[in-house]
Amino acid sequence: MNPKTLLEEYDIVPRKSLGQNFLHDPNMLDKIVSIAELTPNDLVLEVGPGTGLLTERIAKVAKQLTSIEVDERLQPVLEDIVAQNPNLTIRYQDILTLDVNKLYENQPYVVVANLPYYITSAIMRHLLESDHRPTRMVLTMQMEVAERMIAKPDDMSILSVSVQVFGRPQIAARLNPSVFWPRPEVESAVVRIDIYDKPIVDISDYKTFFRVVRAGFGQKRKQLKNALSSGLGLDAEKTAFVFDTSKIDSRRRAETLTLDEWAVLTQAYTTLNS
Ligand code: SAM
């Protein structure tokens, strides 16, 4: 049943504050599942099952599906789908409080989700910075965010760096607002991210890496030497040391750096403190 009819039956009004735009187009729902290339061996984590249209399609092909929904009003709506799919468990909690290490221990898992757009970045960080990352993620998000995520040097941002360190993102499909109810104001995209076994740059200390990246992007459109000295609290001598050691032109801007260059810059900054 389509989400509008179903929710009216249960007297539930969608909450904008929870990013509740439900995907009702059957072809697009099938396409998302095929982009995920799920097999009967896959353990899948879904964020925000909503009325369950994507959930039931995933449950049909995966070995086991755990769906995390923050809105308990949806429990009676999802009950039938749970009854029909013994491999499905729904937990009613905020995804940001889920401990994926504990849920999956050492078992590989895949994430498939039509994300609540208001916390796209927080969810990505929660999953990518956990000790046990998924092997791939197939995520529906705002087109504008998807495009920033796949950006190349010259157009990089904190988002593209922090995703591309962990995996290779690609836009796999584009979605018109008309395939959702209620209709969102923006275009959407399905992004598939294949996660590397090891992050692409050899950085032993992520915290320092992201501190340097955040400092670099901290002052939009500024030269790196100014951004890093104010963001990391470095005097002129230390700033010069970091750029001399890394052999990166201090007049460049953060959006032009490659991942390897961020790693080299981090290395130089770490030497400074050792
Ligand atoms: N999967 C459904 C679909 O494809 O139509 C619903 C997608 S809707 C864009 C996002 C869903 O995420 C909603 O069901 C919403 O209640 C849920 N949600 C919002 N914030 C959440 C959070 N912090 N943790 C878990 N689920 C959340």
mmCIF file of all heavy atoms in Angstrom, residues 115-143:
data_model
loop_
_atom_site.group_PDB
_atom_site.id
_atom_site.type_symbol
_atom_site.label_atom_id
_atom_site.label_comp_id
_atom_site.label_asym_id
_atom_site.label_seq_id
_atom_site.Cartn_x
_atom_site.Cartn_y
_atom_site.Cartn_z
ATOM 1 N N LEU A 115 17.966 8.035 3.618
ATOM 2 C CA LEU A 115 18.335 8.751 4.845
ATOM 3 C C LEU A 115 17.366 9.870 5.198
ATOM 4 O O LEU A 115 16.828 10.532 4.301
ATOM 5 C CB LEU A 115 19.722 9.355 4.686
ATOM 6 C CG LEU A 115 20.890 8.385 4.626
ATOM 7 C CD1 LEU A 115 22.188 9.155 4.375
ATOM 8 C CD2 LEU A 115 21.008 7.579 5.908
ATOM 9 N N PRO A 116 17.193 10.092 6.517
ATOM 10 C CA PRO A 116 16.534 11.343 6.927
ATOM 11 C C PRO A 116 17.552 12.462 6.668
ATOM 12 O O PRO A 116 18.638 12.461 7.250
ATOM 13 C CB PRO A 116 16.273 11.125 8.421
ATOM 14 C CG PRO A 116 17.172 10.006 8.854
ATOM 15 C CD PRO A 116 17.588 9.238 7.644
ATOM 16 N N TYR A 117 17.226 13.380 5.738
ATOM 17 C CA TYR A 117 18.227 14.315 5.219
ATOM 18 C C TYR A 117 18.821 15.239 6.277
ATOM 19 O O TYR A 117 19.938 15.698 6.134
ATOM 20 C CB TYR A 117 17.640 15.147 4.070
ATOM 21 C CG TYR A 117 17.310 14.340 2.839
ATOM 22 C CD1 TYR A 117 16.590 14.901 1.786
ATOM 23 C CD2 TYR A 117 17.722 13.017 2.711
ATOM 24 C CE1 TYR A 117 16.278 14.158 0.651
ATOM 25 C CE2 TYR A 117 17.419 12.274 1.579
ATOM 26 C CZ TYR A 117 16.695 12.845 0.553
ATOM 27 O OH TYR A 117 16.392 12.108 -0.561
ATOM 28 N N TYR A 118 18.051 15.493 7.361
ATOM 29 C CA TYR A 118 18.560 16.464 8.344
ATOM 30 C C TYR A 118 19.795 15.976 9.097
ATOM 31 O O TYR A 118 20.506 16.775 9.702
ATOM 32 C CB TYR A 118 17.452 16.866 9.333
ATOM 33 C CG TYR A 118 17.109 15.796 10.363
ATOM 34 C CD1 TYR A 118 17.483 15.935 11.701
ATOM 35 C CD2 TYR A 118 16.416 14.644 9.999
ATOM 36 C CE1 TYR A 118 17.184 14.965 12.636
ATOM 37 C CE2 TYR A 118 16.109 13.667 10.925
ATOM 38 C CZ TYR A 118 16.497 13.829 12.235
ATOM 39 O OH TYR A 118 16.204 12.852 13.154
ATOM 40 N N ILE A 119 20.057 14.644 9.068
ATOM 41 C CA ILE A 119 21.261 14.164 9.770
ATOM 42 C C ILE A 119 22.141 13.288 8.868
ATOM 43 O O ILE A 119 22.859 12.408 9.367
ATOM 44 C CB ILE A 119 20.948 13.409 11.083
ATOM 45 C CG1 ILE A 119 19.796 12.425 10.910
ATOM 46 C CG2 ILE A 119 20.746 14.340 12.240
ATOM 47 C CD1 ILE A 119 19.707 11.440 12.087
ATOM 48 N N THR A 120 22.117 13.547 7.578
ATOM 49 C CA THR A 120 22.945 12.752 6.653
ATOM 50 C C THR A 120 24.410 12.689 7.113
ATOM 51 O O THR A 120 24.980 11.606 7.264
ATOM 52 C CB THR A 120 22.895 13.349 5.223
ATOM 53 O OG1 THR A 120 21.545 13.340 4.787
ATOM 54 C CG2 THR A 120 23.739 12.547 4.250
ATOM 55 N N SER A 121 25.017 13.856 7.365
ATOM 56 C CA SER A 121 26.452 13.869 7.692
ATOM 57 C C SER A 121 26.731 13.164 9.015
ATOM 58 O O SER A 121 27.707 12.426 9.138
ATOM 59 C CB SER A 121 26.986 15.296 7.798
ATOM 60 O OG SER A 121 26.800 15.933 6.587
ATOM 61 N N ALA A 122 25.863 13.381 9.995
ATOM 62 C CA ALA A 122 26.080 12.755 11.309
ATOM 63 C C ALA A 122 26.003 11.223 11.195
ATOM 64 O O ALA A 122 26.793 10.497 11.808
ATOM 65 C CB ALA A 122 25.054 13.276 12.312
ATOM 66 N N ILE A 123 25.058 10.742 10.380
ATOM 67 C CA ILE A 123 24.923 9.281 10.209
ATOM 68 C C ILE A 123 26.157 8.717 9.499
ATOM 69 O O ILE A 123 26.709 7.686 9.902
ATOM 70 C CB ILE A 123 23.634 8.929 9.424
ATOM 71 C CG1 ILE A 123 22.400 9.330 10.242
ATOM 72 C CG2 ILE A 123 23.598 7.442 9.078
ATOM 73 C CD1 ILE A 123 21.073 9.148 9.522
ATOM 74 N N MET A 124 26.611 9.429 8.464
ATOM 75 C CA MET A 124 27.801 8.967 7.733
ATOM 76 C C MET A 124 29.000 8.878 8.677
ATOM 77 O O MET A 124 29.739 7.910 8.658
ATOM 78 C CB MET A 124 28.165 9.960 6.616
ATOM 79 C CG MET A 124 27.066 10.255 5.649
ATOM 80 S SD MET A 124 26.930 9.043 4.375
ATOM 81 C CE MET A 124 28.528 9.079 3.709
ATOM 82 N N ARG A 125 29.156 9.931 9.486
ATOM 83 C CA ARG A 125 30.296 9.941 10.422
ATOM 84 C C ARG A 125 30.181 8.807 11.425
ATOM 85 O O ARG A 125 31.140 8.108 11.720
ATOM 86 C CB ARG A 125 30.359 11.272 11.179
ATOM 87 C CG ARG A 125 31.227 12.305 10.539
ATOM 88 C CD ARG A 125 31.759 13.316 11.559
ATOM 89 N NE ARG A 125 30.737 13.815 12.450
ATOM 90 C CZ ARG A 125 29.918 14.816 12.161
ATOM 91 N NH1 ARG A 125 30.006 15.438 11.010
ATOM 92 N NH2 ARG A 125 29.003 15.210 13.020
ATOM 93 N N HIS A 126 28.960 8.623 11.934
ATOM 94 C CA HIS A 126 28.734 7.582 12.943
ATOM 95 C C HIS A 126 29.151 6.207 12.389
ATOM 96 O O HIS A 126 29.784 5.411 13.088
ATOM 97 C CB HIS A 126 27.251 7.583 13.330
ATOM 98 C CG HIS A 126 26.917 6.644 14.437
ATOM 99 N ND1 HIS A 126 27.370 6.828 15.723
ATOM 100 C CD2 HIS A 126 26.185 5.499 14.459
ATOM 101 C CE1 HIS A 126 26.932 5.837 16.481
ATOM 102 N NE2 HIS A 126 26.217 5.019 15.736
ATOM 103 N N LEU A 127 28.816 5.942 11.127
ATOM 104 C CA LEU A 127 29.115 4.628 10.550
ATOM 105 C C LEU A 127 30.568 4.525 10.079
ATOM 106 O O LEU A 127 31.236 3.523 10.321
ATOM 107 C CB LEU A 127 28.161 4.334 9.389
ATOM 108 C CG LEU A 127 26.681 4.242 9.786
ATOM 109 C CD1 LEU A 127 25.792 4.205 8.559
ATOM 110 C CD2 LEU A 127 26.436 2.995 10.651
ATOM 111 N N LEU A 128 31.062 5.582 9.428
ATOM 112 C CA LEU A 128 32.411 5.504 8.849
ATOM 113 C C LEU A 128 33.508 5.604 9.909
ATOM 114 O O LEU A 128 34.589 5.064 9.737
ATOM 115 C CB LEU A 128 32.608 6.599 7.794
ATOM 116 C CG LEU A 128 31.830 6.393 6.502
ATOM 117 C CD1 LEU A 128 32.012 7.580 5.561
ATOM 118 C CD2 LEU A 128 32.254 5.106 5.802
ATOM 119 N N GLU A 129 33.221 6.306 11.000
ATOM 120 C CA GLU A 129 34.259 6.456 12.016
ATOM 121 C C GLU A 129 34.150 5.398 13.122
ATOM 122 O O GLU A 129 34.888 5.435 14.097
ATOM 123 C CB GLU A 129 34.237 7.885 12.597
ATOM 124 C CG GLU A 129 34.682 8.906 11.546
ATOM 125 C CD GLU A 129 34.607 10.355 12.014
ATOM 126 O OE1 GLU A 129 34.488 10.599 13.222
ATOM 127 O OE2 GLU A 129 34.652 11.241 11.133
ATOM 128 N N SER A 130 33.231 4.450 12.932
ATOM 129 C CA SER A 130 33.142 3.382 13.938
ATOM 130 C C SER A 130 34.302 2.406 13.689
ATOM 131 O O SER A 130 34.913 2.405 12.618
ATOM 132 C CB SER A 130 31.808 2.646 13.802
ATOM 133 O OG SER A 130 31.815 1.875 12.620
ATOM 134 N N ASP A 131 34.587 1.577 14.682
ATOM 135 C CA ASP A 131 35.689 0.619 14.507
ATOM 136 C C ASP A 131 35.327 -0.446 13.493
ATOM 137 O O ASP A 131 36.192 -1.064 12.886
ATOM 138 C CB ASP A 131 36.017 -0.052 15.851
ATOM 139 C CG ASP A 131 36.644 0.957 16.798
ATOM 140 O OD1 ASP A 131 37.236 1.930 16.289
ATOM 141 O OD2 ASP A 131 36.504 0.786 18.027
ATOM 142 N N HIS A 132 34.017 -0.687 13.337
ATOM 143 C CA HIS A 132 33.584 -1.738 12.412
ATOM 144 C C HIS A 132 32.729 -1.106 11.310
ATOM 145 O O HIS A 132 31.520 -0.970 11.429
ATOM 146 C CB HIS A 132 32.798 -2.796 13.190
ATOM 147 C CG HIS A 132 32.411 -3.981 12.366
ATOM 148 N ND1 HIS A 132 33.147 -4.411 11.297
ATOM 149 C CD2 HIS A 132 31.352 -4.815 12.451
ATOM 150 C CE1 HIS A 132 32.560 -5.467 10.764
ATOM 151 N NE2 HIS A 132 31.460 -5.729 11.439
ATOM 152 N N ARG A 133 33.411 -0.720 10.219
ATOM 153 C CA ARG A 133 32.713 -0.051 9.115
ATOM 154 C C ARG A 133 31.998 -1.059 8.236
ATOM 155 O O ARG A 133 32.424 -2.214 8.126
ATOM 156 C CB ARG A 133 33.734 0.713 8.254
ATOM 157 C CG ARG A 133 34.268 1.952 8.918
ATOM 158 C CD ARG A 133 35.196 2.702 7.987
ATOM 159 N NE ARG A 133 36.531 2.134 8.028
ATOM 160 C CZ ARG A 133 37.412 2.377 8.981
ATOM 161 N NH1 ARG A 133 37.108 3.194 9.966
ATOM 162 N NH2 ARG A 133 38.600 1.820 8.971
ATOM 163 N N PRO A 134 30.901 -0.612 7.554
ATOM 164 C CA PRO A 134 30.225 -1.515 6.609
ATOM 165 C C PRO A 134 31.125 -1.784 5.396
ATOM 166 O O PRO A 134 32.105 -1.069 5.180
ATOM 167 C CB PRO A 134 28.991 -0.711 6.184
ATOM 168 C CG PRO A 134 29.253 0.697 6.547
ATOM 169 C CD PRO A 134 30.263 0.711 7.647
ATOM 170 N N THR A 135 30.779 -2.804 4.592
ATOM 171 C CA THR A 135 31.566 -3.067 3.377
ATOM 172 C C THR A 135 31.095 -2.185 2.228
ATOM 173 O O THR A 135 31.856 -1.829 1.355
ATOM 174 C CB THR A 135 31.468 -4.542 2.937
ATOM 175 O OG1 THR A 135 30.086 -4.889 2.857
ATOM 176 C CG2 THR A 135 32.165 -5.453 3.912
ATOM 177 N N ARG A 136 29.800 -1.859 2.215
ATOM 178 C CA ARG A 136 29.312 -0.856 1.269
ATOM 179 C C ARG A 136 28.048 -0.218 1.818
ATOM 180 O O ARG A 136 27.384 -0.777 2.695
ATOM 181 C CB ARG A 136 29.099 -1.422 -0.134
ATOM 182 C CG ARG A 136 28.039 -2.482 -0.256
ATOM 183 C CD ARG A 136 28.016 -3.059 -1.669
ATOM 184 N NE ARG A 136 27.086 -4.158 -1.758
ATOM 185 C CZ ARG A 136 27.310 -5.388 -1.329
ATOM 186 N NH1 ARG A 136 28.476 -5.686 -0.752
ATOM 187 N NH2 ARG A 136 26.401 -6.334 -1.422
ATOM 188 N N MET A 137 27.748 0.953 1.255
ATOM 189 C CA MET A 137 26.557 1.670 1.697
ATOM 190 C C MET A 137 25.822 2.157 0.455
ATOM 191 O O MET A 137 26.454 2.642 -0.489
ATOM 192 C CB MET A 137 26.931 2.880 2.547
ATOM 193 C CG MET A 137 27.816 2.553 3.720
ATOM 194 S SD MET A 137 27.611 3.767 5.049
ATOM 195 C CE MET A 137 28.716 5.019 4.523
ATOM 196 N N VAL A 138 24.511 2.011 0.456
ATOM 197 C CA VAL A 138 23.697 2.535 -0.642
ATOM 198 C C VAL A 138 22.696 3.492 -0.011
ATOM 199 O O VAL A 138 21.779 3.072 0.705
ATOM 200 C CB VAL A 138 23.011 1.386 -1.415
ATOM 201 C CG1 VAL A 138 22.034 1.931 -2.442
ATOM 202 C CG2 VAL A 138 24.069 0.534 -2.100
ATOM 203 N N LEU A 139 22.925 4.784 -0.220
ATOM 204 C CA LEU A 139 22.208 5.788 0.557
ATOM 205 C C LEU A 139 21.504 6.795 -0.345
ATOM 206 O O LEU A 139 22.122 7.339 -1.275
ATOM 207 C CB LEU A 139 23.211 6.545 1.436
ATOM 208 C CG LEU A 139 24.102 5.702 2.348
ATOM 209 C CD1 LEU A 139 25.152 6.580 3.017
ATOM 210 C CD2 LEU A 139 23.261 4.986 3.400
ATOM 211 N N THR A 140 20.229 7.036 -0.050
ATOM 212 C CA THR A 140 19.528 8.102 -0.764
ATOM 213 C C THR A 140 19.705 9.385 0.029
ATOM 214 O O THR A 140 19.523 9.395 1.250
ATOM 215 C CB THR A 140 18.033 7.771 -0.888
ATOM 216 O OG1 THR A 140 17.935 6.489 -1.488
ATOM 217 C CG2 THR A 140 17.310 8.771 -1.766
ATOM 218 N N MET A 141 20.102 10.437 -0.671
ATOM 219 C CA MET A 141 20.367 11.719 0.000
ATOM 220 C C MET A 141 20.059 12.859 -0.956
ATOM 221 O O MET A 141 19.737 12.618 -2.121
ATOM 222 C CB MET A 141 21.828 11.766 0.445
ATOM 223 C CG MET A 141 22.803 11.680 -0.699
ATOM 224 S SD MET A 141 24.503 11.630 -0.149
ATOM 225 C CE MET A 141 24.608 9.982 0.550
ATOM 226 N N GLN A 142 20.181 14.080 -0.458
ATOM 227 C CA GLN A 142 19.967 15.239 -1.337
ATOM 228 C C GLN A 142 21.029 15.256 -2.424
ATOM 229 O O GLN A 142 22.203 15.005 -2.140
ATOM 230 C CB GLN A 142 20.141 16.527 -0.553
ATOM 231 C CG GLN A 142 19.030 16.806 0.406
ATOM 232 C CD GLN A 142 19.284 18.137 1.117
ATOM 233 O OE1 GLN A 142 19.674 19.109 0.517
ATOM 234 N NE2 GLN A 142 19.050 18.140 2.404
ATOM 235 N N MET A 143 20.618 15.579 -3.641
ATOM 236 C CA MET A 143 21.557 15.630 -4.770
ATOM 237 C C MET A 143 22.761 16.526 -4.472
ATOM 238 O O MET A 143 23.905 16.178 -4.775
ATOM 239 C CB MET A 143 20.807 16.141 -6.004
ATOM 240 C CG MET A 143 21.683 16.323 -7.200
ATOM 241 S SD MET A 143 22.291 14.759 -7.813
ATOM 242 C CE MET A 143 20.807 14.156 -8.597
#
